[in-house]
Amino acid sequence: MYIIGLGLGDERDITVRGLEAVKKCDKVYIEAYTSLLSFGISSNGLSTLEEFYGRPIILADREMVEERADDILLEARESSVAFLVVGDPFGATTHTDLVVRAKKLGLEVNVIHNASVMNAVGVCGLQLYRYGETVSLTFFTDTWRPDSFYEKIQQNRFLGLHTLCLLDIRVKEPTLESLCRRKKQYEAPRYMTILVAIEQLLEVQQRLGGSGTK
Amino acid sequence: MYIIGLGLGDERDITVRGLEAVKKCDKVYIEAYTSLLSFGISSNGLSTLEEFYGRPIILADREMVEERADDILLEARESSVAFLVVGDPFGATTHTDLVVRAKKLGLEVNVIHNASVMNAVGVCGLQLYRYGETVSLTFFTDTWRPDSFYEKIQQNRFLGLHTLCLLDIRVKEPTLESLCRRKKQYEAPRYMTILVAIEQLLEVQQRLGGSGTK
Protein backbone atom coordinates (compact mmCIF):
# COMPACT_ATOMS: atom_id res chain seq x y z
CA MET A 1 0.00 0.00 0.00
CA TYR A 2 1.26 3.44 -0.92
CA ILE A 3 0.31 6.67 0.83
CA ILE A 4 1.38 9.41 -1.53
CA GLY A 5 1.58 13.16 -0.98
CA LEU A 6 0.49 15.28 -3.95
CA GLY A 7 2.04 18.56 -2.82
CA LEU A 8 0.23 21.87 -3.04
CA GLY A 9 -0.13 22.87 -6.66
CA ASP A 10 -1.43 20.85 -9.53
CA GLU A 11 -0.93 17.42 -11.08
CA ARG A 12 2.76 18.08 -11.80
CA ASP A 13 3.61 18.53 -8.12
CA ILE A 14 3.60 14.81 -7.41
CA THR A 15 7.13 13.42 -7.08
CA VAL A 16 8.62 11.16 -9.73
CA ARG A 17 8.62 8.38 -7.13
CA GLY A 18 4.95 9.01 -6.37
CA LEU A 19 3.98 9.03 -10.04
CA GLU A 20 5.73 5.72 -10.62
CA ALA A 21 3.82 4.20 -7.70
CA VAL A 22 0.46 5.52 -8.93
CA LYS A 23 1.08 4.09 -12.38
CA LYS A 24 1.79 0.61 -11.09
CA CYS A 25 -0.98 0.34 -8.48
CA ASP A 26 -4.17 -1.60 -9.20
CA LYS A 27 -6.41 0.93 -7.50
CA VAL A 28 -5.99 4.63 -6.77
CA TYR A 29 -7.93 6.53 -4.09
CA ILE A 30 -7.74 10.22 -3.29
CA GLU A 31 -8.49 11.45 0.21
CA ALA A 32 -10.79 14.40 -0.21
CA TYR A 33 -12.10 15.50 3.12
CA THR A 34 -9.28 16.90 5.24
CA SER A 35 -7.98 18.89 2.31
CA LEU A 36 -8.84 19.75 -1.27
CA LEU A 37 -6.97 20.02 -4.50
CA SER A 38 -6.15 23.69 -4.72
CA PHE A 39 -6.70 23.56 -8.46
CA GLY A 40 -10.16 22.52 -9.58
CA ILE A 41 -11.89 21.91 -6.29
CA SER A 42 -14.59 19.98 -8.17
CA SER A 43 -14.27 16.83 -10.23
CA ASN A 44 -12.41 18.81 -12.90
CA GLY A 45 -9.26 18.68 -10.83
CA LEU A 46 -9.76 14.97 -10.47
CA SER A 47 -10.05 14.49 -14.24
CA THR A 48 -6.85 16.44 -14.72
CA LEU A 49 -5.10 14.06 -12.34
CA GLU A 50 -6.63 11.02 -14.04
CA GLU A 51 -5.50 12.21 -17.42
CA PHE A 52 -1.96 12.95 -16.22
CA TYR A 53 -1.62 9.64 -14.37
CA GLY A 54 -3.46 7.64 -17.01
CA ARG A 55 -5.43 6.01 -14.20
CA PRO A 56 -8.99 6.24 -12.86
CA ILE A 57 -9.17 7.69 -9.32
CA ILE A 58 -11.77 6.93 -6.66
CA LEU A 59 -12.80 9.87 -4.49
CA ALA A 60 -12.57 8.88 -0.81
CA ASP A 61 -14.79 11.36 1.00
CA ARG A 62 -15.23 11.77 4.73
CA GLU A 63 -17.66 8.88 5.06
CA MET A 64 -15.40 6.54 3.17
CA VAL A 65 -12.29 7.50 5.13
CA GLU A 66 -13.97 7.43 8.52
CA GLU A 67 -16.34 4.52 8.11
CA ARG A 68 -15.07 2.33 5.30
CA ALA A 69 -11.29 2.58 5.64
CA ASP A 70 -11.16 -1.10 6.51
CA ASP A 71 -12.60 -1.99 3.10
CA ILE A 72 -9.73 -0.12 1.44
CA LEU A 73 -7.23 -1.89 3.69
CA LEU A 74 -8.73 -5.30 2.89
CA GLU A 75 -8.40 -4.50 -0.81
CA ALA A 76 -4.77 -3.58 -0.20
CA ARG A 77 -4.16 -7.12 1.08
CA GLU A 78 -5.09 -8.59 -2.28
CA SER A 79 -3.83 -5.90 -4.63
CA SER A 80 -1.67 -2.80 -4.73
CA VAL A 81 -3.48 0.33 -3.60
CA ALA A 82 -2.38 3.97 -3.80
CA PHE A 83 -3.96 6.43 -1.39
CA LEU A 84 -3.37 10.01 -2.52
CA VAL A 85 -3.32 12.89 -0.04
CA VAL A 86 -3.10 16.60 -0.87
CA GLY A 87 0.10 18.06 0.58
CA ASP A 88 2.09 15.58 2.67
CA PRO A 89 0.50 12.39 4.02
CA PHE A 90 1.11 13.55 7.60
CA GLY A 91 1.05 17.26 6.96
CA ALA A 92 -2.37 18.83 6.97
CA THR A 93 -3.70 16.07 9.18
CA THR A 94 -2.49 12.77 10.51
CA HIS A 95 -3.24 9.72 8.48
CA THR A 96 -1.49 7.91 11.27
CA ASP A 97 -4.62 5.97 12.09
CA LEU A 98 -4.77 4.46 8.61
CA VAL A 99 -1.10 3.50 8.78
CA VAL A 100 -1.48 1.91 12.22
CA ARG A 101 -4.48 -0.09 11.06
CA ALA A 102 -2.67 -1.17 7.90
CA LYS A 103 0.32 -2.35 9.90
CA LYS A 104 -1.94 -4.31 12.23
CA LEU A 105 -3.23 -6.13 9.18
CA GLY A 106 0.36 -6.92 8.24
CA LEU A 107 0.35 -4.65 5.20
CA GLU A 108 3.52 -3.07 3.94
CA VAL A 109 3.02 0.70 3.95
CA ASN A 110 5.12 2.96 1.75
CA VAL A 111 4.89 6.66 2.50
CA ILE A 112 5.91 9.08 -0.24
CA HIS A 113 6.39 12.54 1.19
CA ASN A 114 5.74 15.89 -0.43
CA ALA A 115 5.46 19.56 0.46
CA SER A 116 2.65 20.63 2.78
CA VAL A 117 1.59 23.99 4.11
CA MET A 118 3.48 23.04 7.29
CA ASN A 119 6.79 23.57 5.51
CA ALA A 120 5.90 25.47 2.34
CA VAL A 121 4.80 28.41 4.51
CA GLY A 122 8.54 29.15 4.70
CA VAL A 123 8.10 30.85 1.32
CA CYS A 124 6.59 33.87 3.08
CA GLY A 125 10.04 34.64 4.45
CA LEU A 126 9.53 33.75 8.11
CA GLN A 127 11.91 31.12 9.50
CA LEU A 128 10.25 27.74 9.94
CA TYR A 129 12.34 27.19 13.08
CA ARG A 130 10.55 30.07 14.74
CA TYR A 131 6.99 28.80 14.45
CA GLY A 132 5.23 27.73 17.62
CA GLU A 133 2.18 25.54 17.92
CA THR A 134 -0.09 25.52 14.87
CA VAL A 135 -3.72 26.47 15.40
CA SER A 136 -6.92 25.63 13.55
CA LEU A 137 -9.67 28.21 13.24
CA THR A 138 -13.07 26.57 12.91
CA PHE A 139 -16.22 28.35 11.82
CA PHE A 140 -18.12 29.85 14.76
CA THR A 141 -21.73 28.72 15.05
CA ASP A 142 -24.56 30.32 17.01
CA THR A 143 -23.85 28.10 19.98
CA TRP A 144 -20.19 27.16 19.57
CA ARG A 145 -17.56 29.91 19.60
CA PRO A 146 -14.41 28.37 21.01
CA ASP A 147 -11.46 30.60 21.87
CA SER A 148 -8.63 28.19 22.67
CA PHE A 149 -6.83 29.08 19.43
CA TYR A 150 -6.52 32.66 20.65
CA GLU A 151 -4.59 31.70 23.76
CA LYS A 152 -2.22 29.61 21.68
CA ILE A 153 -1.48 32.53 19.36
CA GLN A 154 -0.90 34.71 22.44
CA GLN A 155 1.43 32.09 23.89
CA ASN A 156 3.43 31.96 20.66
CA ARG A 157 3.65 35.74 20.51
CA PHE A 158 4.82 35.83 24.10
CA LEU A 159 7.65 33.45 23.14
CA GLY A 160 8.48 35.50 20.04
CA LEU A 161 7.23 32.77 17.72
CA HIS A 162 5.10 32.88 14.58
CA THR A 163 1.78 31.05 14.35
CA LEU A 164 0.49 29.15 11.35
CA CYS A 165 -3.32 29.43 11.32
CA LEU A 166 -5.19 26.77 9.39
CA LEU A 167 -8.60 27.94 8.24
CA ASP A 168 -11.65 25.70 8.34
CA ILE A 169 -13.20 23.99 5.35
CA ARG A 170 -16.61 22.40 5.61
CA VAL A 171 -17.34 20.05 2.77
CA LYS A 172 -19.98 17.34 2.77
CA GLU A 173 -21.06 18.14 6.31
CA PRO A 174 -24.47 16.62 7.08
CA THR A 175 -27.05 19.23 8.09
CA LEU A 176 -28.24 19.08 11.69
CA GLU A 177 -31.75 18.29 10.53
CA SER A 178 -30.69 15.48 8.29
CA LEU A 179 -28.79 13.78 11.09
CA CYS A 180 -32.19 13.03 12.69
CA ARG A 181 -33.57 11.49 9.54
CA ARG A 182 -32.85 8.47 7.45
CA LYS A 183 -31.46 10.17 4.37
CA LYS A 184 -28.42 12.42 4.74
CA GLN A 185 -28.48 15.93 3.38
CA TYR A 186 -25.38 18.05 3.17
CA GLU A 187 -24.59 21.68 3.85
CA ALA A 188 -23.26 23.74 0.96
CA PRO A 189 -19.44 23.63 1.03
CA ARG A 190 -17.80 26.54 2.86
CA TYR A 191 -14.20 27.73 2.99
CA MET A 192 -13.07 30.18 5.64
CA THR A 193 -11.64 33.37 4.18
CA ILE A 194 -8.89 35.36 5.86
CA LEU A 195 -11.44 38.09 6.55
CA VAL A 196 -13.68 35.72 8.50
CA ALA A 197 -10.66 34.41 10.40
CA ILE A 198 -9.70 37.95 11.43
CA GLU A 199 -13.29 38.76 12.45
CA GLN A 200 -13.36 35.70 14.69
CA LEU A 201 -9.99 36.64 16.19
CA LEU A 202 -11.19 40.17 16.92
CA GLU A 203 -14.40 38.87 18.46
CA VAL A 204 -12.45 36.66 20.86
CA GLN A 205 -10.08 39.51 21.69
CA GLN A 206 -13.03 41.70 22.63
CA ARG A 207 -14.63 38.92 24.64
CA LEU A 208 -11.42 38.34 26.60
CA GLY A 209 -11.28 42.03 27.43
CA GLY A 210 -8.54 43.09 25.08
CA SER A 211 -5.84 41.22 26.97
CA GLY A 212 -4.51 40.27 23.56
CA THR A 213 -2.65 43.57 23.34
CA LYS A 214 -0.05 42.23 25.76
CA MET B 1 15.49 31.46 -11.95
CA TYR B 2 14.18 28.33 -10.33
CA ILE B 3 14.77 27.30 -6.71
CA ILE B 4 13.86 23.65 -6.57
CA GLY B 5 13.42 21.36 -3.57
CA LEU B 6 14.74 17.82 -4.04
CA GLY B 7 12.92 16.21 -1.13
CA LEU B 8 14.57 13.79 1.26
CA GLY B 9 15.32 10.56 -0.54
CA ASP B 10 17.02 10.03 -3.85
CA GLU B 11 16.85 11.35 -7.40
CA ARG B 12 13.25 10.20 -7.86
CA ASP B 13 11.96 12.43 -5.05
CA ILE B 14 12.06 15.55 -7.16
CA THR B 15 8.60 16.63 -8.30
CA VAL B 16 7.54 16.30 -11.92
CA ARG B 17 7.37 20.11 -12.04
CA GLY B 18 10.89 20.35 -10.65
CA LEU B 19 12.27 17.81 -13.10
CA GLU B 20 10.75 19.68 -16.03
CA ALA B 21 12.38 22.88 -14.83
CA VAL B 22 15.80 21.25 -14.40
CA LYS B 23 15.66 19.82 -17.88
CA LYS B 24 14.94 23.16 -19.50
CA CYS B 25 17.40 25.32 -17.54
CA ASP B 26 20.75 26.35 -19.04
CA LYS B 27 22.68 25.83 -15.84
CA VAL B 28 22.00 23.69 -12.77
CA TYR B 29 23.53 24.32 -9.32
CA ILE B 30 23.06 22.26 -6.19
CA GLU B 31 23.35 23.90 -2.79
CA ALA B 32 25.55 21.60 -0.74
CA TYR B 33 26.39 23.25 2.52
CA THR B 34 23.28 23.61 4.65
CA SER B 35 22.24 20.07 3.85
CA LEU B 36 23.46 16.99 2.06
CA LEU B 37 21.96 14.42 -0.24
CA SER B 38 21.01 11.63 2.10
CA PHE B 39 21.98 9.10 -0.55
CA GLY B 40 25.59 9.20 -1.71
CA ILE B 41 26.96 12.03 0.42
CA SER B 42 29.95 12.22 -1.93
CA SER B 43 30.02 12.99 -5.62
CA ASN B 44 28.39 9.63 -6.36
CA GLY B 45 25.04 11.03 -5.34
CA LEU B 46 25.67 13.94 -7.65
CA SER B 47 26.42 11.65 -10.60
CA THR B 48 23.19 9.76 -9.94
CA LEU B 49 21.31 13.05 -10.15
CA GLU B 50 23.16 14.09 -13.29
CA GLU B 51 22.36 10.82 -14.97
CA PHE B 52 18.69 10.97 -14.01
CA TYR B 53 18.29 14.61 -15.08
CA GLY B 54 20.51 14.23 -18.13
CA ARG B 55 22.25 17.48 -17.08
CA PRO B 56 25.59 18.43 -15.55
CA ILE B 57 25.29 19.89 -12.04
CA ILE B 58 27.60 22.43 -10.41
CA LEU B 59 28.24 21.92 -6.69
CA ALA B 60 27.63 25.19 -4.83
CA ASP B 61 29.49 24.82 -1.55
CA ARG B 62 29.48 27.17 1.39
CA GLU B 63 31.99 29.59 -0.15
CA MET B 64 30.07 29.81 -3.39
CA VAL B 65 26.71 30.36 -1.67
CA GLU B 66 28.01 32.87 0.86
CA GLU B 67 30.54 34.74 -1.22
CA ARG B 68 29.71 34.27 -4.87
CA ALA B 69 25.90 34.14 -4.89
CA ASP B 70 25.84 37.36 -6.88
CA ASP B 71 27.70 35.68 -9.73
CA ILE B 72 24.97 33.04 -9.92
CA LEU B 73 22.32 35.76 -9.87
CA LEU B 74 24.05 37.68 -12.64
CA GLU B 75 24.10 34.50 -14.72
CA ALA B 76 20.39 34.10 -14.07
CA ARG B 77 19.81 37.49 -15.72
CA GLU B 78 21.18 36.22 -19.01
CA SER B 79 20.10 32.60 -18.92
CA SER B 80 17.81 30.21 -17.04
CA VAL B 81 19.33 28.87 -13.84
CA ALA B 82 18.10 26.10 -11.55
CA PHE B 83 19.27 26.13 -7.95
CA LEU B 84 18.65 22.75 -6.30
CA VAL B 85 18.18 22.45 -2.54
CA VAL B 86 17.89 19.23 -0.55
CA GLY B 87 14.46 19.05 1.15
CA ASP B 88 12.38 22.18 0.64
CA PRO B 89 13.95 25.49 -0.49
CA PHE B 90 12.85 27.14 2.78
CA GLY B 91 12.83 24.06 4.96
CA ALA B 92 16.16 23.09 6.43
CA THR B 93 17.34 26.70 6.21
CA THR B 94 16.15 29.92 4.68
CA HIS B 95 17.27 30.69 1.22
CA THR B 96 15.30 33.83 1.69
CA ASP B 97 18.39 35.97 1.26
CA LEU B 98 19.01 34.59 -2.23
CA VAL B 99 15.40 35.22 -3.20
CA VAL B 100 15.45 38.77 -1.85
CA ARG B 101 18.67 39.54 -3.73
CA ALA B 102 17.28 37.97 -6.91
CA LYS B 103 14.13 40.09 -6.68
CA LYS B 104 16.20 43.22 -6.16
CA LEU B 105 17.91 42.43 -9.44
CA GLY B 106 14.50 42.17 -11.05
CA LEU B 107 14.75 38.41 -11.59
CA GLU B 108 11.67 36.25 -11.73
CA VAL B 109 12.00 33.61 -9.02
CA ASN B 110 10.06 30.35 -9.23
CA VAL B 111 10.04 28.27 -6.07
CA ILE B 112 9.22 24.58 -6.42
CA HIS B 113 8.42 23.09 -3.03
CA ASN B 114 9.09 19.61 -1.75
CA ALA B 115 9.11 17.64 1.49
CA SER B 116 11.58 18.66 4.20
CA VAL B 117 12.30 17.25 7.62
CA MET B 118 10.12 20.07 8.96
CA ASN B 119 6.99 18.29 7.71
CA ALA B 120 8.16 14.75 6.92
CA VAL B 121 8.86 14.25 10.64
CA GLY B 122 5.09 13.69 10.86
CA VAL B 123 5.81 10.12 9.74
CA CYS B 124 7.00 9.30 13.27
CA GLY B 125 3.36 9.53 14.39
CA LEU B 126 3.50 12.78 16.38
CA GLN B 127 1.12 15.50 15.22
CA LEU B 128 2.87 18.30 13.36
CA TYR B 129 0.45 20.79 14.93
CA ARG B 130 1.92 20.00 18.33
CA TYR B 131 5.54 20.88 17.63
CA GLY B 132 6.99 23.94 19.31
CA GLU B 133 10.07 25.85 18.31
CA THR B 134 12.68 23.81 16.42
CA VAL B 135 16.19 23.70 17.88
CA SER B 136 19.61 23.16 16.33
CA LEU B 137 22.24 21.23 18.25
CA THR B 138 25.72 22.34 17.25
CA PHE B 139 28.92 20.47 18.10
CA PHE B 140 30.39 21.56 21.42
CA THR B 141 33.99 22.74 21.24
CA ASP B 142 36.49 23.12 24.07
CA THR B 143 35.57 26.75 24.50
CA TRP B 144 32.02 26.98 23.13
CA ARG B 145 29.29 24.90 24.80
CA PRO B 146 26.05 26.83 24.34
CA ASP B 147 22.91 25.71 26.18
CA SER B 148 20.13 27.85 24.73
CA PHE B 149 18.69 24.84 22.88
CA TYR B 150 18.09 23.17 26.22
CA GLU B 151 15.84 25.93 27.52
CA LYS B 152 13.83 25.83 24.31
CA ILE B 153 13.22 22.10 24.67
CA GLN B 154 12.20 22.71 28.29
CA GLN B 155 9.84 25.46 27.19
CA ASN B 156 8.23 23.18 24.61
CA ARG B 157 7.85 20.38 27.15
CA PHE B 158 6.26 22.79 29.60
CA LEU B 159 3.68 23.67 26.93
CA GLY B 160 3.12 20.00 26.10
CA LEU B 161 4.74 20.36 22.68
CA HIS B 162 7.21 18.16 20.82
CA THR B 163 10.61 19.46 19.73
CA LEU B 164 12.33 18.75 16.45
CA CYS B 165 16.10 18.72 17.06
CA LEU B 166 18.30 19.34 14.04
CA LEU B 167 21.78 17.87 14.45
CA ASP B 168 24.89 19.67 13.29
CA ILE B 169 26.85 18.85 10.15
CA ARG B 170 30.28 20.34 9.60
CA VAL B 171 31.42 20.05 6.03
CA LYS B 172 34.17 22.10 4.43
CA GLU B 173 34.80 24.08 7.60
CA PRO B 174 38.12 25.88 7.45
CA THR B 175 40.46 24.87 10.29
CA LEU B 176 41.24 27.56 12.84
CA GLU B 177 44.90 27.48 11.87
CA SER B 178 44.23 27.85 8.19
CA LEU B 179 42.08 30.93 8.75
CA CYS B 180 45.30 32.74 9.72
CA ARG B 181 47.12 31.71 6.56
CA ARG B 182 46.73 32.36 2.93
CA LYS B 183 45.65 28.90 1.78
CA LYS B 184 42.52 27.42 3.30
CA GLN B 185 42.58 23.95 4.80
CA TYR B 186 39.42 22.16 5.81
CA GLU B 187 38.41 20.01 8.75
CA ALA B 188 37.35 16.46 8.03
CA PRO B 189 33.55 16.37 7.58
CA ARG B 190 31.58 15.52 10.72
CA TYR B 191 27.94 14.60 11.24
CA MET B 192 26.42 14.66 14.71
CA THR B 193 25.02 11.31 15.77
CA ILE B 194 21.99 10.95 18.04
CA LEU B 195 24.32 9.62 20.74
CA VAL B 196 26.43 12.78 20.68
CA ALA B 197 23.28 14.91 20.75
CA ILE B 198 22.05 13.09 23.86
CA GLU B 199 25.44 13.40 25.54
CA GLN B 200 25.39 17.15 24.96
CA LEU B 201 21.84 17.38 26.30
CA LEU B 202 22.80 15.46 29.44
CA GLU B 203 25.87 17.62 29.96
CA VAL B 204 23.75 20.78 29.85
CA GLN B 205 21.18 19.25 32.16
CA GLN B 206 23.88 18.48 34.71
CA ARG B 207 25.38 21.94 34.34
CA LEU B 208 22.00 23.58 34.94
CA GLY B 209 21.59 21.56 38.12
CA GLY B 210 19.10 19.01 36.92
CA SER B 211 16.33 21.57 36.61
CA GLY B 212 15.40 19.75 33.41
CA THR B 213 13.43 17.19 35.36
CA LYS B 214 10.64 19.72 35.83
Side-chain angles (χ1 to χ4, degrees), chain A residues 76-90:
Chain A
R77 282 179 105 158
E78 311 297 327
S79 55
S80 57
V81 168
F83 193 76
L84 308 178
V85 179
V86 175
D88 182 73
F90 304 104

Side-chain angles (χ1 to χ4, degrees), chain A residues 5 23 28 43 50 93 133 148 160 162 179 193:
Chain A
K23 281 184 185 292
V28 184
S43 55
E50 288 180 319
T93 187
E133 186 172 0
S148 59
H162 315 302
L179 282 176
T193 60

Side-chain angles (χ1 to χ4, degrees), chain B residues 106-121:
Chain B
L107 289 172
E108 193 194 332
V109 180
N110 294 290
V111 174
I112 300 179
H113 288 288
N114 210 322
S116 70
V117 68
M118 301 297 291
N119 73 328
V121 67

Side-chain angles (χ1 to χ4, degrees), chain A residues 8-20 52 87-88 90-94 96 111-136 152 155-156 159 161 166, chain B residues 8-20 52 87-88 90-94 96 111-136 152 155-156 159 161 166:
Chain A
L8 297 169
D10 64 26
E11 72 281 2
R12 295 182 306 138
D13 286 293
I14 194 170
T15 65
V16 173
R17 180 190 302 281
L19 186 57
E20 285 171 2
F52 188 69
D88 182 73
F90 304 104
T93 187
T94 52
T96 309
V111 174
I112 299 178
H113 287 288
N114 210 322
S116 69
V117 68
M118 301 297 292
N119 73 326
V121 68
V123 78
C124 73
L126 302 176
Q127 269 217 334
L128 285 178
Y129 302 180
R130 307 279 306 154
Y131 275 80
E133 186 172 0
T134 298
V135 302
S136 293
K152 289 177 181 172
Q155 185 71 62
N156 286 340
L159 296 170
L161 302 176
L166 305 175
Chain B
L8 297 170
D10 63 27
E11 73 280 4
R12 296 182 305 138
D13 286 293
I14 194 171
T15 64
V16 173
R17 179 190 304 280
L19 184 58
E20 286 172 1
F52 188 69
D88 182 73
F90 304 104
T93 188
T94 52
T96 310
V111 174
I112 300 179
H113 288 288
N114 210 322
S116 70
V117 68
M118 301 297 291
N119 73 328
V121 67
V123 78
C124 73
L126 302 176
Q127 270 216 334
L128 286 176
Y129 301 179
R130 307 279 307 153
Y131 275 79
E133 187 172 0
T134 298
V135 303
S136 294
K152 288 177 182 172
Q155 185 72 62
N156 285 341
L159 296 170
L161 302 176
L166 305 176

Side-chain angles (χ1 to χ4, degrees), chain B residues 190-210:
Chain B
R190 287 197 298 160
Y191 313 97
M192 187 183 288
T193 60
I194 293 169
L195 186 63
V196 169
I198 291 172
E199 282 169 357
Q200 294 197 177
L201 273 165
L202 290 175
E203 181 190 314
V204 175
Q205 184 172 44
Q206 203 147 31
R207 198 192 310 158
L208 298 182

Side-chain angles (χ1 to χ4, degrees), chain B:
Chain B
M1 178 173 197
Y2 289 88
I3 303 185
I4 303 170
L6 296 187
L8 297 170
D10 63 27
E11 73 280 4
R12 296 182 305 138
D13 286 293
I14 194 171
T15 64
V16 173
R17 179 190 304 280
L19 184 58
E20 286 172 1
V22 168
K23 281 182 185 295
K24 77 178 178 201
C25 275
D26 298 314
K27 221 155 182 185
V28 184
Y29 290 91
I30 185 166
E31 190 272 297
Y33 107 80
T34 63
S35 191
L36 291 162
L37 289 171
S38 53
F39 71 106
I41 277 169
S42 67
S43 55
N44 284 338
L46 204 59
S47 328
T48 310
L49 286 185
E50 288 180 319
E51 206 171 301
F52 188 69
Y53 301 158
R55 306 298 312 281
I57 301 175
I58 304 156
L59 202 70
D61 62 13
R62 182 167 181 167
E63 278 166 48
M64 190 185 277
V65 176
E66 288 190 342
E67 293 161 28
R68 297 203 297 277
D70 283 337
D71 298 349
I72 299 177
L73 293 176
L74 289 175
E75 270 182 0
R77 281 179 107 157
E78 310 299 325
S79 54
S80 57
V81 168
F83 194 77
L84 309 179
V85 179
V86 175
D88 182 73
F90 304 104
T93 188
T94 52
H95 289 84
T96 310
D97 176 57
L98 192 70
V99 173
V100 171
R101 285 205 266 175
K103 297 220 166 186
K104 273 189 188 151
L105 287 172
L107 289 172
E108 193 194 332
V109 180
N110 294 290
V111 174
I112 300 179
H113 288 288
N114 210 322
S116 70
V117 68
M118 301 297 291
N119 73 328
V121 67
V123 78
C124 73
L126 302 176
Q127 270 216 334
L128 286 176
Y129 301 179
R130 307 279 307 153
Y131 275 79
E133 187 172 0
T134 298
V135 303
S136 294
L137 271 67
T138 51
F139 278 115
F140 282 174
T141 68
D142 289 342
T143 53
W144 195 62
R145 306 176 95 74
D147 53 22
S148 60
F149 64 88
Y150 189 85
E151 286 158 38
K152 288 177 182 172
I153 296 172
Q154 261 188 322
Q155 185 72 62
N156 285 341
R157 274 186 66 90
F158 177 73
L159 296 170
L161 302 176
H162 315 302
T163 307
L164 176 63
C165 300
L166 305 176
L167 309 189
D168 203 4
I169 58 174
R170 290 180 72 83
V171 175
K172 221 172 172 184
E173 296 281 338
T175 60
L176 263 182
E177 289 165 14
S178 84
L179 282 176
C180 317
R181 296 182 201 165
R182 211 160 38 127
K183 194 170 177 298
K184 275 193 186 160
Q185 281 182 319
Y186 299 102
E187 292 176 10
R190 287 197 298 160
Y191 313 97
M192 187 183 288
T193 60
I194 293 169
L195 186 63
V196 169
I198 291 172
E199 282 169 357
Q200 294 197 177
L201 273 165
L202 290 175
E203 181 190 314
V204 175
Q205 184 172 44
Q206 203 147 31
R207 198 192 310 158
L208 298 182
S211 65
T213 51
K214 273 193 291 199

